[in-house]
Amino acid sequence: MKNNNLFEGVKSRRKKYILSLVVLWLIVLILFCLNMTIGEKNYSPLQVINTLTGHSSEGAYLINKLRLPRSLAAVFSGIAFGVAGNVFQTLLRNPLASPDIIGVSSGSTAAAVYCILFLNMNRSLVSVVAVIAGVLTSVLIYKIAYIHSFSANRLILVGIGTQALFTAFISWMIMSASEYDVPTAMRWMNGNLNGIVTDSLPLLIVVVISCLLAIICLRHQMVSLPLGDSYATILGIHVNLVRTVLIVLSVILIAFATAITGPIASIAFLSGPIAKRICGHNQANILSSALVGAILVLAGDFVGQHLLYTRFPVGVITGLLGGPYLIYVLVKQNKGGQL
Amino acid sequence: MNSNTLIAKDIQAGYGQKNILQSVNIHIPENKISVILGSNGSGKSTMLKTFCRLMTPTAGLITLDGTPLSQIKSKDIAKSIGLLPQTSIAPEGIKVAELVSRGRYPHRQFMTGLNKDDYKAIEEAMEAMKITELADRSIDELSGGQRQRVFIALALAQETDILFLDEPTTYLDIAYQIEILDLLKELNKKRGTTIVMVLHDINLSTKYADYLFAMKDGTLIKQGTPSEIITEDTIRKIYGIDSVIIRDPISDSPFVIPVSAHDNYLS
């Protein structure tokens, strides 16, 4: 039958997407196992499972209190950054429109650094402040960029300016803080998985999973928004409402993850484009960018901890990936005359 | 019967303080092809946008089968009214079949994939626009004419009874223009789809339209069949130019020949 022919391509692309998700998921699992088993002391996967389930007490502190929170934080912050970055890039139709480039993350960071260095707040309170600051920063950027009408390019330029401003503010705060507090604050400069405490994790996990599910529910709308506001409206989508909800969910993801791990460099910026390169442009790529985000953080942390001459925070490693890609995007867009 | 009686009563619309549409009354002729004529800035596009909810009227009322648009659920309007906007943005890297499938949004259920009806509608739309062989091509690789047909197919997949098109033939060469207008005529004949277009070419308009609306400075100055309203006087009123009207030897529709200042022609 001829109808089957027409949609063979659609169906095979769909299958390929699901297969890619399975493979990405396996990579996450493998990296998670590596991060759980390898370290100052190496354990077998079986030993790790025994210790986790309480059947053995060997390495209990190392595995339960250090590696598990660290690996879980890596996975869920990776998901948060990856998904949020992809939502921003999709809605604003520009790979530069990632929250870590247009100042959303730096708003959270600046607030967190201020609270730690000058107000001596405890960590969970800092998280709340970081979330509020992230939302306020987004509103501020949006308001400044909104002149008569919404323009993605204007928003990106305003965002880059805001980013520069906040980064300068953060540096200034760290310079003027007491030396004793600086190591704690430094994590906020580029993201770090050291000293993640177990208490902060359940909240992160719940927030990430609920925001992720909510965004998945909006996937049909999300794939239609890049067609432009006219098309989306004609298709019956409440454009402003959907866009606001998606942005708010993403800001919550970014802010919560930032509050726990600091702004891990480039994850939000890289995950969406990598996911699209692997899985194609035909779906919203929500789950694929989530998995790519988790892979980048897990792999970045593994490299930073074990493969170099000295230990580096994860953000330094992932930041090294982001730089060249940023240049690539700028050169490509410059050729296309987009920005 | 199809739900497709679209009426505008005394509508006004504009940007900011500036009112572009001044109290327009229109009853869109059902199951016909209508073309809106007018000079640049006469309010043609604004009227189209107002009918398609892209602009909210500042006064007046638009009703679909007697119910004001503002009282109908957005998704339900989307099942009745479709639009091909003046410019379309293609998301980078997307394949043609998937792009056309975006038109199914108003018919889709909350959490499900594409169902049988969706596939049928997408297939029919692609066949009507003769783009089935492009299904697996990336939108970025297509020519202007092919792209335009893909976007019309997207609007067709939406399966609306009324389809608005804002300058569907702009930037296309004459062959593509005729091809697209023929495809639309066929669609109107086969499915009875009500088609409303803004076209800049008067002679193509008179050739394809059953009904014409002439706009000037935000008001409707004339409406009727091409033979009724296309006169030298109307053309002067709409565009401010002199012309000579002859008969198209093939279709017998009125054919407008504009008079140039260099023609040494005295009307």
Side-chain angles (χ1 to χ4, degrees), chain B residues 11-12 25 48 57 59 61 74 109 124 131 136 141 167 182 194 260-261:
Chain B
I11 51 163
Q12 297 184 16
N25 284 290
L48 228 62
L61 200 62
S74 200
Q109 301 300 315
E124 282 175 9
I131 51 164
D136 298 320
E141 311 165 354
E167 300 185 22
D182 277 345
T194 302
S260 149

Side-chain angles (χ1 to χ4, degrees), chain A residues 104 107-109 111-112 115 121 124-140 166 251-252 254-256 259:
Chain A
V104 176
S108 295
T109 309
C115 293
M121 273 189 196
S124 46
L125 209 57
V126 170
S127 303
V128 176
V129 175
V131 171
I132 296 170
V135 175
L136 286 180
T137 310
S138 318
V139 173
L140 183 77
F166 278 126
V251 171
I252 292 175
I254 287 288
F256 267 92

Side-chain angles (χ1 to χ4, degrees), chain A residues 153-172:
Chain A
N153 281 350
R154 201 156 46 215
L155 187 114
I156 291 165
L157 292 176
V158 170
I160 292 174
T162 316
Q163 167 93 348
L165 191 72
F166 278 126
T167 309
F169 184 51
I170 295 164
S171 304
W172 174 76

